[in-house]
Amino acid sequence: GLVSVVGHWTGAVLLVAFIASAILSVLSEAALDSSQNATLLIALITAPVFAFRLYWRITNFHPAPLGGASPAQVLAGRGIALGMLLAGVVLPLMYLAKEIFAAGYNWWLTPLFWLGVFCFSGGLVLHLYGAYTHTFILKDNSLKRLAGRKIDL
């Protein structure tokens, strides 16, 4: 429904902005500059939005996929969705911990954060591939159903 759609696109914009800002703050090489402050602010906004999205996904009905999806495809799709939601909570919290709370632990938090960004990027590519497949190849009204419109199954 509406909450899912608004949460999805708000979270997508926030997470892309967060990762882009984190990359920019690394490239700028300044300890406490405006890009790092912006990254911290975006992280503070992103984590609660994704925590709510994760709660919403778990507590609300999620319909089965359209068409003849195999159980492996269903598990893969839902696993990717769950992984991306968890990344939206964990990556901002890791960044906050790395920059604010755990200055002495940056030797392992920083590589772990960037490994998480790398893994999230792989999940994002798979998510975009699935969206492309449903929209342009299968043409199975997935977008209409995700928007909350009633369709004939």
Side-chain angles (χ1 to χ4, degrees):
L2 182 62
V3 173
S4 296
V5 173
V6 171
H8 178 272
W9 289 108
T10 302
V13 169
L14 281 172
L15 201 53
V16 168
F18 166 68
I19 291 174
S21 182
I23 292 169
L24 183 64
S25 70
V26 167
L27 295 177
S28 67
E29 295 183 9
L32 288 170
D33 63 348
S34 60
S35 66
Q36 186 180 19
N37 291 337
T39 306
L40 291 170
L41 178 64
I42 295 169
L44 283 172
I45 297 169
T46 304
V49 167
F50 270 88
F52 173 75
R53 287 194 63 216
L54 184 61
Y55 166 78
W56 191 263
R57 171 88 183 210
I58 291 171
T59 60
N60 289 284
F61 173 72
H62 194 75
L66 294 171
S70 71
Q73 290 171 322
V74 173
L75 286 174
R78 293 197 175 172
I80 290 167
L82 182 63
M84 291 180 71
L85 287 172
L86 286 172
V89 176
V90 172
L91 288 176
L93 293 178
M94 283 179 66
Y95 188 84
L96 290 169
K98 164 177 105 60
E99 295 297 326
I100 295 175
F101 305 117
Y105 298 101
N106 276 350
W107 65 271
W108 65 274
L109 270 176
T110 300
L112 192 61
F113 171 76
W114 290 110
L115 176 65
V117 169
F118 179 75
C119 292
F120 168 78
S121 300
L124 180 62
V125 167
L126 290 172
H127 176 71
L128 293 174
Y129 173 73
Y132 171 80
T133 301
H134 281 284
T135 305
F136 297 110
I137 296 173
L138 299 176
K139 299 178 183 174
D140 61 2
N141 292 325
S142 293
L143 290 179
K144 288 180 184 176
R145 187 175 66 155
L146 289 173
R149 296 191 185 113
K150 300 287 184 196
I151 61 170
D152 294 330
L153 297 177

